[in-house]
Amino acid sequence: MFPLISVIIPVYNAEKYLEECIKSLLGQSLYNCEFIFVNDGSNDNSVDIIRSYIKKDKRITLINQKNQGVSQARNTGIVSAKGEYIGFVDSDDYVDLDMYKELYKQIQNEECEVIISNFEEELNGNKHIRKYSLKENKVLDKNYIENEILPFFVREDSLNTVCNKLYKKSIIDEYNIRFPKGLPLGEDGIFNMIYFSKCNSCKYIDYTGYHYREVHGSATRNLHKHDYFQRELDVYNFDLEKLIDIPQNINIKSLKSIKLINNIKSNIYIYFDKNQDQSIFYKCKYIKRIVNKKEIKEALEIYLSNVNITGRYEKLFLFCMKNKLTILLYILCIYSKIRNK
């Protein structure tokens, strides 16, 4: 019997949380699933943990490959998948026991081509449920996808994850949709944009079954070392229309500008965090170079013309960005951190 759903789990040195992830999958109330674990060159005990569970449950498949990154691991899983639908789980996350039963019921009842659900984020012990400003619990047609959902992907990152969705494998196969490598937009976002551009229907349900865990201190990441600012500029400059057909009535430049400024604001806040290694003088000098980039100055003008800014804090923050007042930006970030404690 072929499985109803193939769940693909890329694994790289995930031993700390892997058992919790596996147990949440094997306990699914929808039994007819296969679980494809793609070991992407782990050098910890991840493979031994998976093998110990293979002995207990024949629904598990283990594929080993040299380290090639999460995109290629997922692509390997897609090739091997036998299910009618495909879901994705990250190996340090876990899902509710009814998650795939609920998503399968929704996608079957409505005969739509993709289901979107909420997910719970956990960062430094704090949990937050991510919901979306999409029409809830009704089938959304091609027109809605083109005019609301595709622009959403261009405008912000929050819908990008593939882990809170269920996809129809026949569409993935028909259009040979895969996760790209070496593109600046992020693999999940590109996969979703291509998939949704081929869809005629989807549904967003007000249901939370996926639990995302932010690990490795991402809130205090070294933005200078990894150059996340440059990544945002690469995203802004990338020609999306090479990959997907964007409706002509969608103002791509405006949407990309909103995304750039919002992400730069977030990165400035993280960069100024006291846990970063550089001195305050160095940080301010670096941020001044960033906000003086022509792309950011261009996007900020578009942002200010298109976004209704009501809060005094945000108005002042944007004023400081525009005028390169980096010391004041630093003070605002410290104030925000104290206020939100």
Side-chain angles (χ1 to χ4, degrees):
M1 181 182 295
F2 283 101
L4 300 175
I5 298 175
S6 299
V7 183
I8 297 167
I9 311 98
V11 178
Y12 178 72
N13 291 348
E15 62 180 8
K16 183 175 181 180
Y17 300 110
L18 185 55
E19 284 203 74
E20 183 179 16
C21 176
I22 294 174
K23 288 177 181 178
S24 75
L25 292 170
L26 297 184
Q28 288 297 299
S29 55
L30 180 67
Y31 184 83
N32 193 7
C33 299
E34 68 169 348
F35 306 107
I36 304 171
F37 290 83
V38 183
N39 171 44
D40 190 41
S42 297
N43 51 33
D44 65 356
N45 292 319
S46 294
V47 170
D48 292 336
I49 292 171
I50 297 167
R51 283 176 175 158
S52 71
Y53 279 93
I54 289 176
K55 296 175 183 178
K56 304 173 185 178
D57 200 310
K58 63 182 180 181
R59 294 175 296 167
I60 298 176
T61 298
L62 172 63
I63 301 172
N64 291 299
Q65 65 179 35
K66 294 180 180 179
N67 181 250
Q68 300 174 65
V70 65
S71 287
Q72 187 54 49
R74 286 173 174 163
N75 290 340
T76 298
I78 288 172
V79 172
S80 298
K82 300 180 181 68
E84 184 180 358
Y85 299 97
I86 289 182
F88 298 94
V89 170
D90 288 341
S91 55
D92 43 21
D93 300 336
Y94 64 98
V95 297
D96 286 350
L97 299 184
D98 287 330
M99 176 169 163
Y100 285 109
K101 180 180 180 180
E102 182 64 28
L103 268 58
Y104 180 77
K105 178 182 74 175
Q106 294 287 342
I107 204 167
Q108 278 284 295
N109 287 351
E110 305 292 357
E111 297 184 353
C112 53
E113 296 168 336
V114 58
I115 288 289
I116 306 167
S117 64
N118 306 324
F119 67 96
E120 182 186 72
E121 302 170 282
E122 180 180 340
L123 176 60
N124 297 329
N126 299 313
K127 295 183 178 181
H128 169 74
I129 293 178
R130 172 78 68 177
K131 296 187 176 186
Y132 303 104
S133 57
L134 305 173
K135 288 183 180 179
E136 296 179 6
N137 302 316
K138 59 172 60 179
V139 177
L140 307 172
D141 62 12
K142 183 77 170 177
N143 183 64
Y144 189 92
I145 292 171
E146 289 183 346
N147 290 284
E148 298 293 336
I149 295 181
L150 287 177
F152 196 113
F153 283 119
V154 180
R155 186 178 67 245
E156 56 184 277
D157 294 326
S158 64
L159 191 58
N160 280 0
T161 179
V162 294
C163 294
N164 64 338
K165 301 174 181 70
L166 195 62
Y167 303 89
K168 200 167 185 177
K169 187 173 186 292
S170 60
I171 292 179
I172 292 174
D173 290 343
E174 180 180 355
Y175 296 100
N176 195 31
I177 302 171
R178 296 292 186 268
F179 291 85
K181 295 182 67 176
L183 294 180
L185 265 76
E187 300 89 346
D188 285 26
I190 291 291
F191 181 91
N192 274 316
M193 286 187 209
I194 297 173
Y195 185 93
F196 275 82
S197 71
K198 306 302 182 185
C199 282
N200 292 308
S201 62
C202 74
K203 186 178 182 182
Y204 166 52
I205 58 173
D206 186 14
Y207 167 79
T208 306
Y210 192 91
H211 301 272
Y212 167 76
R213 182 186 283 114
E214 187 83 50
V215 295
H216 308 309
S218 295
T220 56
R221 62 190 176 180
N222 190 326
L223 294 179
H224 180 67
K225 178 180 178 181
H226 297 290
D227 211 352
Y228 287 93
F229 288 106
Q230 184 58 51
R231 176 193 175 280
E232 300 301 342
L233 294 175
D234 291 342
V235 170
Y236 180 76
N237 288 320
F238 185 79
D239 186 1
L240 266 179
E241 291 166 296
K242 288 181 178 179
L243 292 177
I244 59 173
D245 295 326
I246 302 290
Q248 292 186 349
N249 62 314
I250 302 301
N251 189 331
I252 292 291
K253 191 76 168 179
S254 176
L255 297 175
K256 290 170 70 175
S257 296
I258 291 170
K259 175 186 276 190
L260 175 63
I261 297 304
N262 283 332
N263 288 348
I264 291 295
K265 283 161 52 185
S266 297
N267 284 345
I268 288 173
Y269 178 84
I270 296 169
Y271 187 77
F272 273 142
D273 188 280
K274 67 179 181 180
N275 293 310
Q276 296 294 331
D277 297 331
Q278 293 83 21
S279 68
I280 298 304
F281 173 77
Y282 181 93
K283 291 177 184 179
C284 290
K285 188 176 179 181
Y286 179 72
I287 293 298
K288 182 169 283 191
R289 290 204 306 271
I290 294 298
V291 297
N292 200 41
K293 298 274 188 180
K294 65 178 178 63
E295 294 96 335
I296 293 179
K297 291 193 288 186
E298 173 188 68
L300 187 54
E301 290 299 327
I302 296 173
Y303 185 96
L304 292 171
S305 299
N306 287 274
V307 176
N308 182 25
I309 305 160
T310 56
R312 288 182 294 177
Y313 177 87
E314 186 176 9
K315 285 181 180 178
L316 184 54
F317 198 100
L318 293 168
F319 175 83
C320 292
M321 280 183 63
K322 183 176 181 178
N323 293 281
K324 296 175 280 296
L325 304 174
T326 51
I327 293 292
L328 280 177
L329 279 175
Y330 171 72
I331 293 171
L332 285 171
C333 291
I334 297 302
Y335 165 75
S336 177
K337 186 171 183 178
I338 294 172
R339 183 185 64 179
N340 291 324
K341 276 187 176 180

